[in-house]
Amino acid sequence: SGMGERTRAAMASLGLSHGDQLADVFRREHAYTAEVSDVLEEYDSTLQALVRCYMSDLTRVGRDVVGLSAEVLLSYDGYCRFVRDFRLIDATFSMRQATATFVVSRMRAIDELGQANRVKVLHLSRLDFYEALVRAAVNKSWPSEEEVRASGCDDAGDFVLASMEEGGAAHARFLSEHPAGYGKQLVPTHVCLQGLLSLLTRMIATGRGTSGRALTPASF
């Protein structure tokens, strides 16, 4: 499938595989921490709105799949709509990287041939989606708290949205001066996540993202 080809290319280019130890280290030391949990709790209303908009109840994916009856799931296509709706693809976070983020955030299935496990392999659970957001956040450029204060912006999301809308050389300079990627980012992981979620929240509230999607300020 097209998704399979893109997935394999992304995984190979980023040096990742299904059992990649670095992916597990990131998950343990960066995605599942008290600081990240606090940020997720702070933006719970935004997360719930995203879940309602982009994730499908399992009954719409495949009925009577043993062990997954209570799940809501995010397909690869739904994930691609999400990153495009919120204009997350840029010079620091390519579609290839977005695909790799989807792949390494999935639930692990020992037997990928079984029906339930195949569903797991092809979709993100709610928890997987949150992990994917953490990984995406680390691969985006964010200002420091000092830069946010000096700019007069309310938060990192406000700062980045203003930079995105200014565009051109100014935004390109911001991206080049603020490295992104695991081990390269200038701010801690939970601050990256706070930046991403504040950006998504602001884009929903102001109607600047979600082209054609059913997300409005009333979604909160």
Side-chain angles (χ1 to χ4, degrees), residues 12-167:
S13 67
L14 297 180
L16 298 171
S17 62
H18 284 292
D20 191 82
Q21 292 183 352
L22 289 178
D24 289 335
V25 168
F26 180 91
R27 183 176 292 115
R28 183 175 62 253
E29 297 183 358
H30 295 272
Y32 296 100
T33 66
E35 293 85 359
V36 164
S37 294
D38 287 345
V39 174
L40 292 173
E41 183 175 352
E42 178 184 357
Y43 287 92
D44 181 68
S45 60
T46 297
L47 293 168
Q48 296 308 318
L50 293 172
V51 166
R52 287 192 297 270
C53 184
Y54 292 96
M55 301 186 78
S56 298
D57 187 274
L58 182 61
T59 57
R60 293 167 56 189
V61 176
R63 293 182 181 277
D64 302 322
V65 179
V66 177
L68 293 175
S69 58
E71 289 283 358
V72 289
L73 301 168
L74 179 65
S75 69
Y76 177 71
D77 286 343
Y79 173 78
C80 289
R81 285 195 300 272
F82 160 70
V83 297
R84 288 176 177 135
D85 284 350
F86 285 94
R87 296 149 54 192
L88 297 183
I89 303 303
D90 60 19
T92 64
F93 189 56
S94 66
M95 198 63 222
R96 185 198 70 197
Q97 290 171 304
T99 298
T101 295
F102 179 92
V103 171
V104 296
S105 299
R106 295 173 309 165
M107 293 178 283
R108 293 298 175 264
I110 296 174
D111 176 12
E112 295 186 0
L113 297 179
Q115 184 184 14
N117 287 338
R118 180 168 174 77
V119 171
K120 290 181 181 181
V121 166
L122 296 177
H123 297 80
L124 299 183
S125 69
R126 186 191 304 254
L127 191 60
D128 295 336
F129 177 47
Y130 293 174
E131 180 179 326
L133 290 174
V134 177
R135 293 182 183 277
V138 169
N139 282 284
K140 300 286 292 177
S141 295
W142 304 107
S144 67
E145 294 180 1
E146 293 76 14
E147 286 176 303
V148 173
R149 282 196 298 268
S151 71
C153 292
D154 293 334
D155 50 41
D158 188 19
F159 184 104
V160 171
L161 185 57
S163 180
M164 289 169 61
E165 301 212 320
E166 183 177 5

